[in-house]
Amino acid sequence: MAPPLLTITDMALRFGENPLFDGVELSIGDRDRISLVGRNGSGKSTLMKVISGITEADRGKRFLQPGCHVTYLDQEPDMKGYKRLHDYVASGLTHASTEDHFLVDIILAEINLAPDLDPAVLSGGEARRAALARALISDADILLLDEPTNHLDIATIEWLEGRLQAFRGGLVIISHDRTFLNNITNTTFWLDRGRVRRLDKGFKYFEEWSEKIIEQERVERAKLDKLIEKETEWSHKGITARRKRNMGRMRALWALRDKRADQIAVTGQAKLEIDSGKAAGKKVIEAFKISKSFGDQVIAQDFSLRIMRGDRIGIIGPNGVGKTTLLKMLTKELETDKGRVKHGTNLEITYLDQKRARLQDDETLWDHLSDGGDHIMVRGESKHIISYLKDFLFDAGQARSPVSSLSGGEKNRLVLAKTIAMPTNFLILDEPTNDLDMDTLDLLQDVLGEYDGTLILVSHDRDFLDRIVTSSLVMEGDGKITEYPGGYSDYIRQSKNQKSIQTAPTAKKSGKVADAPKQRIAKLSFKHQHSLKILPQEINALEKMIVKYQSKLGETNFYTKDPDGFHKINDALEKAIADLGAKEEEWLELEMMREELE
């Protein structure tokens, strides 16, 4: 068994008078795929910085194998001082050889970013992609990623999953994206009250494992002070109670999904018959063949939809496809080019956009929630502000603290508390999971699970969609919007089944009607056009890379002098050859499609 790449022994760190860590022991091997989990404020990001060597502990030893390179992706990457995106990404190259700069062009093409872009004008999603590109080309032995999926769409998250699955080194991830962690990790570090527990299984086993530990501690500490018991239970987020609640909510969600599936007559089309026998307000929104475009970008084309009271609709699609525009059309904030949108009666709409409500730094949490008294109305019920703050994981002592003292995650939590308290029968949440920790995500799922109004949710969090929505509107680009019953996993399964049916061969029968002609595609999609444009560049770069690797492997006595380096380059050569074959096949298929259309 190979020795670990990095070890930390007896590590301790204090912030002021408060100990953050004490006696931390951990190791990272070259095949470890680690999820670092812990409640909000437990110090996960600080521990990551200690592992990376950025932050020095007060006590303890950090040992890194000689020649081992560690790359750290911060939540807020610093791009200052770079005029071109190419220069910023290239700064991540370990050896900074000009011969290796073609790697920068390849990965920027993969994430669809131009190398001459000014880093200062990038959106949140673009900046995150650029920072990931810089980290991924660094030839790291240990890769540390702090919330890597923030502001990424699902397609980019899945691209990142593929990259990390092919990564040959140690990996540590902090993330609130459960599906991402389930797909990537094989080891779990649980940062719990200043110490790190290790499970040699991935994140999908964390809840079951942590629940057993909590139960063991509960038995062992049964005779201790009740205050200690309560603090321990709070620190573990009430996992047992949450699981029992979630099972009941999931059964209710499945029933709602079955009901929604019955309402969808044909995939992509909603029943538009007007049922005059229904009670007033039963129909929330009806969209009749709506269309919208901005120049060459088509957002929606002849799209129809009916949303009934109590439906929970998820909107899925890549960044820039027009999800927020679709929301604005459905709420009549933006006019359609064609078609019409009809609202039901007595709608009370609450809309939480991506930018969140503005908080005043000098006001207290109490002032932000209060209308002058000590109670707040929460969906028709009066609740004391302190009690409501505790529901959102705030301490009673924080009630009179200024908003400026809150962390970013706590500010998001406060905004959600204010938004959800508003009286509403129609709630619209546009990317509510951005920058939220798992504690707040669990809380939001609990609240939405009990919500009895109509919900529209835009999110890139696949697990969150699976747990919340009854049907999904999938925006595929070029104005195509299709509705699928269920969440993201249901959409993936149904779309695969549809493709299998569409591509399955049909037996020819003599004397019968000839096979139906294939439906022609009007034109290549934007994604296909872009791929057809950049694939030759990527193929050319891979060919150069293969020649370079072959030349290196052919050097006299290379294996004798550096056997590890020889194996590393040989592995890279095999991967490059495989990538070249895949990209050549993809280009050939697209070129044949283009010729057929012409």
Side-chain angles (χ1 to χ4, degrees):
M1 185 175 180
L5 300 175
L6 181 145
T7 57
I8 288 178
T9 54
D10 195 28
M11 188 268 284
L13 180 65
R14 304 177 70 91
F15 278 162
E17 298 181 357
N18 301 316
L20 188 59
F21 310 122
D22 188 15
V24 168
E25 309 270 344
L26 61 85
S27 64
I28 301 171
D30 65 352
R31 289 296 180 266
D32 285 342
R33 303 285 187 270
I34 301 165
S35 60
L36 175 55
V37 300
R39 66 180 178 84
N40 191 36
S42 61
K44 298 187 295 294
S45 293
T46 302
L47 177 58
M48 192 83 97
K49 290 177 181 178
V50 171
I51 295 173
S52 71
I54 295 173
T55 297
E56 186 175 348
D58 297 331
R59 186 190 76 229
K61 182 179 180 181
R62 172 183 179 269
F63 174 76
L64 183 67
Q65 290 288 349
C68 185
H69 177 60
V70 179
T71 295
Y72 169 60
L73 175 71
D74 199 345
Q75 284 195 46
E76 300 294 337
D78 185 6
M79 299 184 181
K80 296 176 183 177
Y82 297 96
K83 295 182 178 179
R84 297 171 64 241
L85 187 57
H86 182 283
D87 299 333
Y88 166 71
V89 176
S91 68
L93 290 167
T94 306
H95 306 295
S97 169
T98 54
E99 295 179 4
D100 293 332
H101 277 217
F102 67 89
L103 295 172
V104 176
D105 296 324
I106 289 176
I107 198 165
L108 285 177
E110 287 185 27
I111 59 177
N112 197 23
L113 288 176
D116 291 330
L117 279 173
D118 182 355
V121 301
L122 298 182
S123 67
E126 290 171 337
R128 176 60 50 172
R129 279 184 280 158
L132 282 167
R134 182 179 182 273
L136 290 170
I137 67 167
S138 66
D139 196 27
D141 298 288
I142 298 177
L143 196 54
L144 310 175
L145 305 178
D146 195 348
E147 294 291 357
T149 65
N150 269 355
H151 305 286
L152 298 184
D153 58 31
I154 292 175
T156 308
I157 293 172
E158 291 176 340
W159 166 85
L160 177 60
E161 286 177 358
R163 274 280 188 162
L164 295 179
Q165 286 163 353
F167 174 65
R168 299 190 175 194
L171 178 65
V172 184
I173 304 171
I174 298 172
S175 178
H176 63 264
D177 189 325
R178 286 178 169 83
T179 303
F180 179 73
L181 292 177
N182 288 343
N183 291 342
I184 296 296
T185 61
N186 61 18
T187 305
T188 304
F189 284 175
W190 183 14
L191 180 54
D192 175 39
R193 286 163 290 170
R195 296 180 181 269
V196 175
R197 303 174 191 263
R198 178 176 179 130
L199 172 69
D200 289 321
K201 292 183 179 180
F203 177 78
K204 66 177 67 175
Y205 299 98
F206 168 68
E207 286 197 0
E208 179 183 358
W209 172 62
S210 59
E211 188 175 303
K212 288 180 180 178
I213 292 175
I214 294 169
E215 183 60 30
Q216 289 171 359
E217 290 190 352
R218 185 176 288 116
V219 172
E220 292 169 1
R221 299 185 181 190
K223 297 181 180 181
L224 294 180
D225 187 273
K226 289 293 183 183
L227 177 61
I228 296 177
E229 182 178 340
K230 289 181 180 179
E231 287 295 321
T232 302
E233 188 171 352
W234 178 86
S235 74
H236 292 303
K237 306 180 295 182
I239 292 173
T240 305
R242 177 173 290 109
R243 173 170 291 183
K244 292 178 180 177
R245 291 198 305 273
N246 282 348
M247 287 307 299
R249 292 197 182 107
M250 289 307 296
R251 284 192 289 270
L253 177 58
W254 293 330
L256 287 171
R257 285 177 176 172
D258 290 340
K259 180 179 178 182
R260 182 63 183 171
D262 291 338
Q263 294 173 355
I264 303 174
V266 182
T267 302
Q269 298 289 333
K271 290 182 180 179
L272 297 179
E273 305 88 41
I274 303 299
D275 188 349
S276 58
K278 301 291 183 179
K282 185 72 174 178
K283 299 185 186 72
V284 176
I285 290 179
E286 289 184 304
F288 300 87
K289 293 188 176 182
I290 61 173
S291 298
K292 187 70 179 179
S293 60
F294 297 97
D296 294 334
Q297 185 184 14
V298 182
I299 305 298
Q301 185 69 44
D302 292 329
F303 173 63
S304 296
L305 173 73
R306 183 174 68 176
I307 300 177
M308 308 299 291
R309 186 176 63 221
D311 284 345
R312 303 177 192 175
I313 310 295
I315 300 181
I316 301 171
N319 287 337
V321 77
K323 298 185 294 295
T324 301
T325 301
L326 177 61
L327 279 180
K328 291 181 177 180
M329 286 193 291
L330 293 177
T331 57
K332 294 186 177 182
E333 184 180 342
L334 182 67
E335 290 187 5
T336 61
D337 294 341
K338 291 195 305 182
R340 63 189 180 93
V341 175
K342 180 181 178 183
H343 283 186
T345 57
N346 302 321
L347 286 188
E348 295 178 332
I349 301 176
T350 297
Y351 186 0
L352 176 65
D353 65 16
Q354 294 187 46
K355 297 180 179 179
R356 311 288 191 262
R358 289 189 176 181
L359 295 172
Q360 301 296 323
D361 284 345
D362 57 349
E363 68 178 351
T364 66
L365 280 67
W366 183 294
D367 294 335
H368 183 72
L369 293 178
S370 173
D371 290 327
D374 56 4
H375 282 70
I376 182 173
M377 295 299 295
V378 181
R379 295 189 300 278
E381 296 184 6
S382 178
K383 201 159 191 175
H384 196 278
I385 288 177
I386 297 294
S387 176
Y388 190 57
L389 283 170
K390 287 183 177 179
D391 288 344
F392 279 80
L393 310 180
F394 289 105
D395 201 74
Q398 293 179 277
R400 298 295 185 181
S401 299
V403 168
S404 59
S405 67
L406 300 180
S407 68
E410 288 172 328
K411 288 180 179 179
N412 282 334
R413 212 183 298 155
L414 183 61
V415 170
L416 282 170
K418 180 76 169 183
T419 300
I420 293 172
M422 298 177 184
T424 179
N425 53 28
F426 187 16
L427 186 59
I428 299 175
L429 303 179
D430 192 356
E431 298 289 4
T433 65
N434 274 349
D435 302 311
L436 293 185
D437 53 74
M438 282 192 180
D439 287 358
T440 309
L441 278 175
D442 286 341
L443 175 66
L444 184 56
Q445 287 176 11
D446 285 350
V447 172
L448 294 180
E450 296 174 349
Y451 179 61
D452 55 5
T454 304
L455 172 70
I456 296 183
L457 169 68
V458 177
S459 179
H460 298 309
D461 190 317
R462 294 160 291 180
D463 179 80
F464 192 75
L465 288 164
D466 281 346
R467 291 171 182 260
I468 296 297
V469 304
T470 56
S471 71
S472 302
L473 297 179
V474 180
M475 302 184 70
E476 302 177 39
D478 294 327
K480 184 179 179 183
I481 306 173
T482 307
E483 183 174 13
Y484 294 87
Y488 179 79
S489 298
D490 299 299
Y491 145 62
I492 292 297
R493 185 180 65 255
Q494 293 171 64
S495 61
K496 286 182 178 178
N497 290 341
Q498 283 188 3
K499 289 177 183 177
S500 298
I501 293 171
Q502 291 168 0
T503 58
T506 55
K508 293 185 178 180
K509 299 179 182 179
S510 58
K512 299 294 182 180
V513 178
D515 292 343
K518 292 182 179 179
Q519 183 179 359
R520 284 185 59 84
I521 304 172
K523 64 176 183 176
L524 288 177
S525 68
F526 174 79
K527 180 180 178 181
H528 286 159
Q529 292 177 34
H530 179 71
S531 296
L532 201 54
K533 180 179 178 182
I534 67 169
L535 277 171
Q537 303 170 23
E538 295 179 351
I539 290 170
N540 184 52
L542 283 167
E543 289 172 342
K544 291 181 180 179
M545 187 189 304
I546 289 169
V547 171
K548 179 181 176 181
Y549 288 152
Q550 289 172 336
S551 175
K552 183 65 177 176
L553 291 172
E555 291 181 1
T556 306
N557 297 328
F558 177 36
Y559 180 81
T560 305
K561 294 177 181 177
D562 186 7
D564 289 339
F566 183 93
H567 287 303
K568 189 173 183 179
I569 290 182
N570 189 59
D571 290 343
L573 174 61
E574 291 178 359
K575 183 178 184 302
I577 292 173
D579 290 346
L580 177 63
K583 289 186 182 296
E584 286 177 336
E585 184 176 351
E586 182 183 0
W587 176 85
L588 183 60
E589 290 176 356
L590 290 174
E591 186 66 16
M592 291 173 64
M593 186 187 301
R594 182 185 65 80
E595 290 178 359
E596 182 182 351
L597 293 176
E598 291 179 352

